[in-house]
Short mmCIF file of all heavy atoms in Angstrom, two decimals:
data_model
loop_
_atom_site.label_atom_id
_atom_site.label_comp_id
_atom_site.label_asym_id
_atom_site.label_seq_id
_atom_site.Cartn_x
_atom_site.Cartn_y
_atom_site.Cartn_z
N LYS X 1769 94.36 306.69 -132.23
CA LYS X 1769 93.63 306.35 -133.44
C LYS X 1769 93.03 307.59 -134.11
O LYS X 1769 92.99 307.68 -135.34
CB LYS X 1769 92.52 305.35 -133.11
CG LYS X 1769 93.02 303.98 -132.70
CD LYS X 1769 91.85 303.03 -132.42
CE LYS X 1769 92.35 301.64 -132.04
NZ LYS X 1769 91.23 300.71 -131.75
N THR X 1770 92.60 308.54 -133.28
CA THR X 1770 92.05 309.79 -133.83
C THR X 1770 93.13 310.56 -134.58
O THR X 1770 92.90 311.05 -135.69
CB THR X 1770 91.47 310.64 -132.70
OG1 THR X 1770 90.44 309.92 -132.03
CG2 THR X 1770 90.89 311.94 -133.25
N LEU X 1771 94.32 310.67 -133.97
CA LEU X 1771 95.42 311.36 -134.65
C LEU X 1771 95.85 310.62 -135.91
O LEU X 1771 96.24 311.24 -136.90
CB LEU X 1771 96.60 311.51 -133.70
CG LEU X 1771 96.39 312.44 -132.49
CD1 LEU X 1771 97.66 312.51 -131.66
CD2 LEU X 1771 95.98 313.83 -132.93
N LEU X 1772 95.75 309.29 -135.88
CA LEU X 1772 96.09 308.52 -137.08
C LEU X 1772 95.08 308.78 -138.20
O LEU X 1772 95.45 308.87 -139.38
CB LEU X 1772 96.11 307.03 -136.73
CG LEU X 1772 96.75 306.09 -137.75
CD1 LEU X 1772 98.21 306.45 -137.96
CD2 LEU X 1772 96.62 304.64 -137.30
N THR X 1773 93.80 308.96 -137.83
CA THR X 1773 92.79 309.33 -138.83
C THR X 1773 93.08 310.71 -139.41
O THR X 1773 92.96 310.91 -140.63
CB THR X 1773 91.40 309.32 -138.18
OG1 THR X 1773 91.14 308.04 -137.61
CG2 THR X 1773 90.32 309.65 -139.19
N PHE X 1774 93.47 311.65 -138.56
CA PHE X 1774 93.84 312.99 -139.04
C PHE X 1774 95.05 312.91 -139.97
O PHE X 1774 95.15 313.66 -140.95
CB PHE X 1774 94.15 313.91 -137.87
CG PHE X 1774 92.94 314.26 -137.04
CD1 PHE X 1774 93.07 314.77 -135.74
CD2 PHE X 1774 91.66 314.09 -137.53
CE1 PHE X 1774 91.97 315.09 -134.98
CE2 PHE X 1774 90.54 314.41 -136.77
CZ PHE X 1774 90.71 314.90 -135.50
N LYS X 1775 95.98 312.02 -139.64
CA LYS X 1775 97.20 311.89 -140.45
C LYS X 1775 96.89 311.35 -141.82
O LYS X 1775 97.47 311.77 -142.83
CB LYS X 1775 98.19 310.98 -139.72
CG LYS X 1775 99.59 310.98 -140.32
CD LYS X 1775 100.55 310.19 -139.46
CE LYS X 1775 101.97 310.24 -140.03
NZ LYS X 1775 102.92 309.48 -139.17
N HIS X 1776 95.92 310.41 -141.91
CA HIS X 1776 95.53 309.86 -143.21
C HIS X 1776 94.79 310.90 -144.05
O HIS X 1776 94.76 310.77 -145.28
CB HIS X 1776 94.65 308.63 -143.00
CG HIS X 1776 95.42 307.45 -142.48
ND1 HIS X 1776 94.80 306.36 -141.89
CD2 HIS X 1776 96.75 307.18 -142.45
CE1 HIS X 1776 95.72 305.48 -141.51
NE2 HIS X 1776 96.91 305.96 -141.84
N ASN X 1777 94.18 311.89 -143.41
CA ASN X 1777 93.46 312.97 -144.11
C ASN X 1777 94.14 314.31 -143.83
O ASN X 1777 93.47 315.32 -143.59
CB ASN X 1777 92.00 313.02 -143.65
CG ASN X 1777 91.27 311.72 -143.86
OD1 ASN X 1777 90.75 311.45 -144.93
ND2 ASN X 1777 91.23 310.87 -142.84
N LEU X 1778 95.48 314.31 -143.86
CA LEU X 1778 96.24 315.47 -143.40
C LEU X 1778 95.93 316.73 -144.21
O LEU X 1778 95.68 317.80 -143.65
CB LEU X 1778 97.73 315.17 -143.46
CG LEU X 1778 98.66 316.27 -142.92
CD1 LEU X 1778 98.35 316.55 -141.46
CD2 LEU X 1778 100.12 315.88 -143.10
N THR X 1779 95.91 316.62 -145.53
CA THR X 1779 95.67 317.81 -146.36
C THR X 1779 94.29 318.40 -146.10
O THR X 1779 94.13 319.63 -145.97
CB THR X 1779 95.81 317.44 -147.85
OG1 THR X 1779 97.09 316.86 -148.08
CG2 THR X 1779 95.62 318.66 -148.73
N ALA X 1780 93.28 317.54 -146.00
CA ALA X 1780 91.92 318.03 -145.75
C ALA X 1780 91.80 318.62 -144.35
O ALA X 1780 91.08 319.62 -144.15
CB ALA X 1780 90.93 316.88 -145.92
N VAL X 1781 92.48 318.05 -143.37
CA VAL X 1781 92.45 318.59 -142.01
C VAL X 1781 93.12 319.96 -141.95
O VAL X 1781 92.60 320.90 -141.31
CB VAL X 1781 93.12 317.61 -141.03
CG1 VAL X 1781 93.33 318.26 -139.67
CG2 VAL X 1781 92.29 316.35 -140.88
N LEU X 1782 94.25 320.10 -142.61
CA LEU X 1782 94.93 321.40 -142.63
C LEU X 1782 94.11 322.44 -143.39
O LEU X 1782 94.10 323.62 -143.02
CB LEU X 1782 96.32 321.26 -143.28
CG LEU X 1782 97.31 320.34 -142.54
CD1 LEU X 1782 98.63 320.28 -143.28
CD2 LEU X 1782 97.52 320.82 -141.11
N ASN X 1783 93.39 322.02 -144.44
CA ASN X 1783 92.49 322.95 -145.13
C ASN X 1783 91.37 323.43 -144.21
O ASN X 1783 90.94 324.58 -144.29
CB ASN X 1783 91.89 322.27 -146.37
CG ASN X 1783 92.89 322.08 -147.48
OD1 ASN X 1783 93.90 322.79 -147.54
ND2 ASN X 1783 92.63 321.13 -148.37
N GLY X 1784 90.89 322.53 -143.34
CA GLY X 1784 89.84 322.92 -142.41
C GLY X 1784 90.29 324.00 -141.45
O GLY X 1784 89.48 324.85 -141.04
N ALA X 1785 91.56 323.98 -141.06
CA ALA X 1785 92.07 325.01 -140.16
C ALA X 1785 92.44 326.29 -140.89
O ALA X 1785 92.31 327.38 -140.34
CB ALA X 1785 93.29 324.48 -139.40
N ALA X 1786 92.89 326.17 -142.15
CA ALA X 1786 93.37 327.35 -142.88
C ALA X 1786 92.26 328.11 -143.58
O ALA X 1786 92.31 329.34 -143.66
CB ALA X 1786 94.43 326.92 -143.90
N LEU X 1787 91.24 327.41 -144.07
CA LEU X 1787 90.18 328.05 -144.84
C LEU X 1787 89.00 328.42 -143.93
O LEU X 1787 88.76 327.76 -142.92
CB LEU X 1787 89.70 327.13 -145.97
CG LEU X 1787 90.77 326.75 -147.01
CD1 LEU X 1787 90.22 325.77 -148.02
CD2 LEU X 1787 91.31 327.99 -147.70
N PRO X 1788 88.24 329.45 -144.31
CA PRO X 1788 87.14 329.92 -143.43
C PRO X 1788 85.85 329.12 -143.55
O PRO X 1788 84.89 329.43 -142.85
CB PRO X 1788 86.91 331.36 -143.89
CG PRO X 1788 87.30 331.35 -145.34
CD PRO X 1788 88.43 330.36 -145.45
#
Side-chain angles (χ1 to χ4, degrees):
K1769 291 182 179 179
T1770 301
L1771 293 182
L1772 193 61
T1773 303
F1774 292 162
K1775 191 173 182 179
H1776 289 162
N1777 302 275
L1778 184 60
T1779 304
V1781 169
L1782 297 180
N1783 288 338
L1787 299 177

